[in-house]
Amino acid sequence: MDNIKSYVQQHKDRFINELIELLKIPSVSADTAYSQDVIDTAEAVKTSLEKAGCDFVEICDTPGYPIVYGEKTIDKNLPTILVYGHYDVQPPDPMELWTSPPFEPVIKKTDIHPEGAIFARGSCDDKGQMYMHVKALEY
């Protein structure tokens, strides 16, 4: 566990900066005005998986938006693990409830997050969580 903590601490700034860049892309799949942004996000996820060490990554067309598929084989005799996440986000409405623009990530300290947390559309659902899986693969 110490190795993981050390790796995270060593790369923390890079991880945060990469996530912030991903959160800036308004991948709102429910609004066709953001169609290109959703596709751009798929490309960004593909690049992240490649950089994290996947042996194979592809963007697969679907009747809707594309999926991003990646593989990493450690040992063919080991069980297969499937990790799922989505890179699209919900519309940020109602806008008046945001204290900062939803696609301009900010780090704020709050009572719930005294050390700070990233506030942006998708930071929790689901770009942030999906990104953690990519960084776990990288480790």
Side-chain angles (χ1 to χ4, degrees):
M1 191 61 139
D2 288 340
N3 287 342
I4 293 171
K5 289 179 181 179
S6 175
Y7 188 82
V8 169
Q9 192 58 41
Q10 181 182 354
H11 298 279
K12 181 179 177 179
D13 290 340
R14 176 174 62 88
F15 291 170
I16 290 170
N17 291 332
E18 289 173 1
L19 177 56
I20 284 173
E21 289 306 308
L22 187 63
L23 293 168
K24 287 179 180 180
I25 308 170
S27 54
V28 180
S29 61
D31 185 340
T32 56
Y34 297 97
S35 293
Q36 187 59 52
D37 294 306
V38 176
I39 292 166
D40 292 347
T41 306
E43 289 288 345
V45 171
K46 179 181 185 274
T47 299
S48 293
L49 287 168
E50 290 169 340
K51 287 181 180 178
C54 277
D55 301 320
F56 173 77
V57 184
E58 70 176 329
I59 294 179
C60 306
D61 290 329
T62 73
Y65 289 110
I67 63 168
V68 183
Y69 174 82
E71 290 182 356
K72 176 68 177 173
T73 303
I74 305 298
D75 182 335
K76 290 182 182 198
N77 297 315
L78 293 173
T80 297
I81 297 172
L82 173 67
V83 178
Y84 167 82
H86 60 90
Y87 61 83
D88 66 322
V89 299
Q90 292 294 312
D93 302 320
M95 293 300 289
E96 64 272 7
L97 296 180
W98 286 89
T99 58
S100 57
F103 297 107
E104 294 177 21
V106 294
I107 299 174
K108 297 182 204 177
K109 293 181 180 184
T110 68
D111 290 340
I112 298 171
H113 307 287
E115 294 181 24
I118 299 173
F119 286 79
R121 174 54 88 211
S123 61
C124 291
D125 181 13
D126 186 53
K127 286 181 181 177
Q129 293 153 322
M130 179 271 305
Y131 182 77
M132 287 190 327
H133 295 301
V134 174
K135 294 297 112 179
L137 168 69
E138 178 183 312
Y139 174 76

